[in-house]
Amino acid sequence: MKKNFIYLIIFALVVITAAEMIGFQSVKLGTFSIGLLPLVFAIIITMVLGLNLFRKGFWKKVYSKENVEFAGKYLIFLMLPLMARYGADVAPKIGEILQIGWVFITQEIGNLGTVLLGLPVALLLGLRREAIGATLGIGREGELAYISEKYTLNSDEGRGVLSLYIIGTLFGTIFFSIFAPIMLQLGFSIEALAMASGMGSGSMMSASSASLVAQVPEMEKTILAYASASQLLTSFLGTFTMVFLAVPLQQLIYRLLVRGDKNAKRAA
């Protein structure tokens, strides 16, 4: 395990270095630009090298069962520095943010949409226990932490939330890079879109806010402050919304829709 772990550390440093060297890339799509963060490239590199085609020699040791289990178990600790960064971005605009604080709170109701809409669709597609992890939220840090603590990432629920986390990082950033400027062109205010950027995902927030800054560069500080405040409050208040509203609602819907599942009683 110790020897394989050293391979994992070396591999992580190489991938991070490669992703940072590629850096933030902006791809023009007509009048819009798609922002691709280094995190996206890091995940793509890791996924490609994890294919069976490359699982030989050094790569086999990197992707050993022990390393995979270790990464799944301790992934949550790597997310904590994000919260410190959000706080640093919020501080300069704290007075302005407190004046409209109620708006940030009401947007949390939208987090229930994944349960109300996503869970029935996931079950219809054939998912069972995986649907619990995949539809509790948008599969970001808060949901990842909750599912990891309650079920572990090696469970069916854990695989569901982790799959959504990866898919969201890859495709969510691209979607919001395009969607935010479109909404701006349709007449939505820059402040509202900046707040909407903080949906609980660091990568999606960065992509969305970066695309807005590219459209209105003179409001960069306001956009980043609103997005970071929304992200911070979503991460904080979203935890309570998830535990006290989303989890019971998901449990009820799952039991109603999956009556024949002998494990339905332990849903969420």
Side-chain angles (χ1 to χ4, degrees):
M1 169 60 187
K2 290 183 179 180
K3 188 176 181 180
N4 285 343
F5 182 68
I6 293 174
Y7 288 123
L8 177 63
I9 296 297
I10 295 173
F11 173 70
L13 292 174
V14 170
V15 171
I16 291 171
T17 302
E20 287 297 331
M21 288 178 66
I22 296 173
F24 179 86
Q25 298 295 321
S26 182
V27 180
K28 281 286 184 181
L29 190 65
T31 57
F32 306 107
S33 60
I34 302 174
L36 299 176
L37 303 171
L39 177 61
V40 175
F41 296 110
I43 289 181
I44 292 174
I45 293 171
T46 306
M47 289 177 65
V48 170
L49 295 178
L51 297 174
N52 290 330
L53 177 65
F54 298 101
R55 288 204 180 187
K56 299 175 183 178
F58 174 80
W59 305 117
K60 187 175 182 180
K61 294 175 181 178
V62 169
Y63 289 91
S64 66
K65 182 180 178 181
E66 294 83 2
N67 281 344
V68 172
E69 290 179 350
F70 175 86
K73 185 177 181 181
Y74 294 102
L75 176 66
I76 187 62
F77 291 105
L78 300 179
M79 301 173 186
L80 299 179
L82 278 173
M83 304 308 295
R85 171 60 191 275
Y86 300 152
D89 287 336
V90 169
K93 292 276 185 178
I94 190 65
E96 186 178 344
I97 289 167
L98 288 175
Q99 291 179 1
I100 54 171
W102 65 272
V103 179
F104 289 104
I105 295 174
T106 54
Q107 75 173 17
E108 283 306 308
I109 299 174
N111 286 338
L112 299 178
T114 56
V115 175
L116 293 171
L117 302 176
L119 182 58
V121 173
L123 294 175
L124 189 63
L125 292 174
L127 297 180
R128 284 298 178 264
R129 303 305 307 165
E130 298 86 356
I132 296 298
T135 64
L136 185 56
I138 61 172
R140 309 321 294 171
E141 288 80 5
E143 291 79 27
L144 193 64
Y146 180 86
I147 295 295
S148 176
E149 288 294 320
K150 186 163 185 178
Y151 301 105
T152 78
L153 292 180
N154 295 319
S155 63
D156 291 337
E157 294 85 353
R159 282 186 284 274
V161 71
L162 195 55
S163 296
L164 201 68
Y165 183 85
I166 294 173
I167 291 171
T169 301
L170 286 174
F171 300 107
T173 52
I174 296 174
F175 173 81
F176 282 105
S177 293
I178 301 172
F179 190 69
I182 290 177
M183 292 295 101
L184 183 63
Q185 303 241 348
L186 289 177
F188 285 83
S189 73
I190 192 70
E191 292 85 359
L193 292 172
M195 290 167 58
S197 298
M199 73 292 290
S201 164
S203 58
M204 294 182 201
M205 181 207 71
S206 299
S208 179
S209 57
S211 64
L212 290 174
V213 169
Q215 298 287 322
V216 193
E218 65 273 14
M219 295 191 67
E220 178 179 3
K221 290 185 178 179
T222 298
I223 292 171
L224 295 180
Y226 274 53
S228 296
S230 179
Q231 175 73 10
L232 185 65
L233 287 172
T234 297
S235 299
F236 175 69
L237 297 175
T239 301
F240 295 97
T241 304
M242 174 181 63
V243 173
F244 295 111
L245 296 177
V247 169
L249 183 61
Q250 186 184 56
Q251 182 179 7
L252 175 63
I253 295 175
Y254 188 89
R255 288 178 177 176
L256 290 175
L257 298 180
V258 192
R259 295 179 182 277
D261 188 348
K262 63 181 179 180
N263 294 319
K265 290 184 177 180
R266 69 183 190 94

